[in-house]
């Protein structure tokens, strides 16, 4: 099954040292994102696809994400198997949790995280240079409280690859994510 990536913004609140994204300032209007979506689906025909919301940090533009999700559900639902939001996990609030809960059969969330506090040390906030680990851990707990599915997208890089076993074990045992 093909996956199509939808960007709601390129903006991000983290400054991960290994980030490949060069453009961290662009944002889009709802109309621009919908135009992109319409371009995708005009060629899909009867195929079934998966949609991934990505950024930057897509939850910085949650209202756009929510609006285009409902637009796709209204216009292209028959062609979409499921959706996933890949987020850095730092912006999880009640509105986002309510949205995920309401649409749990269609959309899930994956958090980008590199494992233990030590392995996550290159993922820090632009505003104060603090490691994002503790905020993300707390937000994963909020997701678990709602009994929502959450996945982890782990980036391997030269500074954490030697700690992969410990990081995977930590994510599974401490954070409760399979």
């Amino acid at each position: 099954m093909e996956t199509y990536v939808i960007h709601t913004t390129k903006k991000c609140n983290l400054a991960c040292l290994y980030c490949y994204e060069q453009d961290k300032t662009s944002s889009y209007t709802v109309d621009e994102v919908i135009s992109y979506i319409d371009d995708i689906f005009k060629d899909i025909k009867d195929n079934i696809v998966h949609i991934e919301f990505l950024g930057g940090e897509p939850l910085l533009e949650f209202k756009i994400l929510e609006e285009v999700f409902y637009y796709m559900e209204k216009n292209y639902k028959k062609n979409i198997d499921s959706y996933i939001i890949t987020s850095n996990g730092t912006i999880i609030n009640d509105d986002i949790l309510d949205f995920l809960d309401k649409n749990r059969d269609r959309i899930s969330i994956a958090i980008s995280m590199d494992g233990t506090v030590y392995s996550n040390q290159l993922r820090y906030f632009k505003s104060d240079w603090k490691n994002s680990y503790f905020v993300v851990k707390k937000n994963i707990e909020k997701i678990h409280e709602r009994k929502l599915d959450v996945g982890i997208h782990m980036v391997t890089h030269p500074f954490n690859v030697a700690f992969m076993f410990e990081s995977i074990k930590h994510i599974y045992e401490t954070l409760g994510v399979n």
Side-chain angles (χ1 to χ4, degrees), residues 41-60:
F41 281 94
K42 73 179 179 193
D43 295 325
I44 286 181
K45 301 191 180 15
D46 292 331
N47 293 339
I48 306 297
V49 300
H50 175 74
I51 301 293
E52 180 176 9
F53 291 101
L54 201 58
E57 173 47 50
L59 295 178
L60 283 172

Side-chain angles (χ1 to χ4, degrees), residues 52-58 84-88 108-112 153:
E52 180 176 9
F53 291 101
L54 201 58
E57 173 47 50
I84 190 165
I85 301 167
T86 298
S87 168
N88 63 29
S108 61
I109 190 162
I111 306 295
S112 295
H153 285 185

Side-chain angles (χ1 to χ4, degrees), residues 103-164:
N103 298 291
R104 68 173 54 232
D105 62 326
R106 298 289 291 152
I107 193 164
S108 61
I109 190 162
I111 306 295
S112 295
M113 184 180 218
D114 293 347
T116 64
V117 176
Y118 180 78
S119 294
N120 208 68
Q121 66 185 332
L122 300 182
R123 301 177 56 80
Y124 52 85
F125 288 98
K126 286 180 184 177
S127 60
D128 60 12
W129 302 96
K130 290 185 179 175
N131 187 328
S132 64
Y133 174 86
F134 296 102
V135 171
V136 174
K137 180 179 185 283
K138 181 187 243 181
N139 286 335
I140 289 172
E141 290 166 0
K142 289 179 187 177
I143 293 168
H144 284 316
E145 287 170 11
R146 295 278 190 116
K147 297 186 178 10
L148 295 165
D149 288 332
V150 61
I152 298 289
H153 285 185
M154 184 183 291
V155 176
T156 55
H157 51 75
F159 301 103
N160 74 350
V161 73
F163 307 102
M164 276 292 112

